Amino acid sequence: MPQYKLTYFDFHGGRAEPARLAMHIGGIAFEDHRFGFADFPEVRKHTPFGQVPTLHVDGVLVTQSDAITRYVGKLTGLYPTDPYQALLCDEVLGALEDANNKLVATFGMTGDALKEARTALAEGAISTYLRWLQAQLQAHGGQYFADQRLTIADLKVFVYVNGLRSGRLDHIPTNLVDSVAPALLEHRQRVADTPAIAQYYARVAA
Ligand SMILES: N[C@@H](CCC(=O)N[C@@H](CS)C(=O)NCC(=O)O)C(=O)O
């Protein structure tokens, strides 16, 4: 078994969390290298694009969160082998990366500019993504996004929904998902109740 080291900020969310969860579900040992925001300037010096997450596989550094998540999904059986189901899974990953990037564009803003940008996002693009996700979920059986079972697409949606509801994002109403796409809340609970995920969060919260 190769040695894995996943490097990312020390919080339960963001671009590394789906891969972390998949590692835990699959029982794959890895170094969960977390660092504080204050240490990011130093950490980024050792990455090719000044970005995280990174995954070291036997010491070889790899970038790009979706590539990392997909790789871990393949290792753990959480990525569909059927090409069409994999397409549905990838579509969700790609859409959420676009959604993430729209939010990231507001980081660094302050005051009224931040409020205006975030309000426009909440009412506009983010709501559009949420409605689309809900429609996708319902179109593919209502329980999971692809393959009629838990895949990395569900993990990425779970992390995204948790982020929107966390209260960490000023001017993004914490009840946005609840009001725009309530089926995603049931989905969030389904994923949270997955035994390996419930056990993992219970352990780190203890
Ligand atoms: N396409 C990259 C984007 C990674 C990314 O933007 N990561 C953020 C943290 S979540 C970052 O390091 N931002 C700093 C920067 O872009 O300068 C991926 O998916 O991994």
Side-chain angles (χ1 to χ4, degrees):
M1 178 69 80
Q3 297 288 308
Y4 299 113
K5 176 182 174 184
L6 184 58
T7 299
Y8 196 64
F9 298 107
D10 185 14
F11 78 107
H12 300 306
R15 286 181 165 108
E17 190 73 355
R20 284 180 184 144
L21 293 175
M23 290 283 205
H24 286 292
I25 293 169
I28 294 186
F30 72 107
E31 182 185 346
D32 190 359
H33 179 227
R34 294 160 178 260
F35 60 89
F37 288 100
D39 294 327
F40 185 44
E42 182 56 34
V43 172
R44 71 192 306 178
K45 284 185 200 160
H46 308 284
T47 72
F49 307 120
Q51 295 177 329
V52 289
T54 61
L55 178 70
H56 284 82
V57 183
D58 278 342
V60 177
L61 184 155
V62 180
T63 66
Q64 305 308 322
S65 55
D66 279 351
I68 292 168
T69 303
R70 203 174 285 114
Y71 171 67
V72 178
K74 288 174 186 171
L75 293 178
T76 54
L78 292 168
Y79 185 72
T81 52
D82 174 77
Y84 178 66
Q85 296 302 323
L87 171 67
L88 296 180
C89 184
D90 286 344
E91 184 187 25
V92 169
L93 300 190
L96 283 181
E97 236 356 77
D98 286 354
N100 280 336
N101 285 330
K102 288 183 196 295
L103 203 51
V104 167
T106 66
F107 290 2
M109 291 182 178
T110 54
D112 287 348
L114 177 66
K115 185 174 181 183
E116 207 174 300
R118 290 266 172 95
T119 302
L121 267 185
E123 291 169 2
I126 293 178
S127 287
T128 300
Y129 282 109
L130 291 174
R131 283 194 202 96
W132 177 82
L133 285 167
Q134 176 167 268
Q136 288 297 102
L137 185 65
Q138 286 163 347
H140 300 297
Q143 305 262 304
Y144 298 105
F145 280 88
D147 228 10
Q148 306 278 350
R149 66 188 178 96
L150 186 82
T151 69
I152 53 171
D154 300 290
L155 299 182
K156 186 141 175 155
V157 174
F158 173 74
V159 173
Y160 183 67
V161 165
N162 283 343
L164 291 180
R165 300 179 79 238
S166 68
R168 286 194 303 263
L169 298 163
D170 290 345
H171 311 299
I172 302 292
T174 54
N175 67 349
L176 183 66
V177 179
D178 316 34
S179 56
V180 169
L184 296 183
L185 277 192
E186 291 166 30
H187 173 266
R188 196 212 80 80
Q189 198 56 51
R190 188 171 299 118
V191 176
D193 289 342
T194 303
I197 294 182
Q199 283 158 19
Y200 168 64
Y201 284 122
R203 199 167 66 236
V204 293

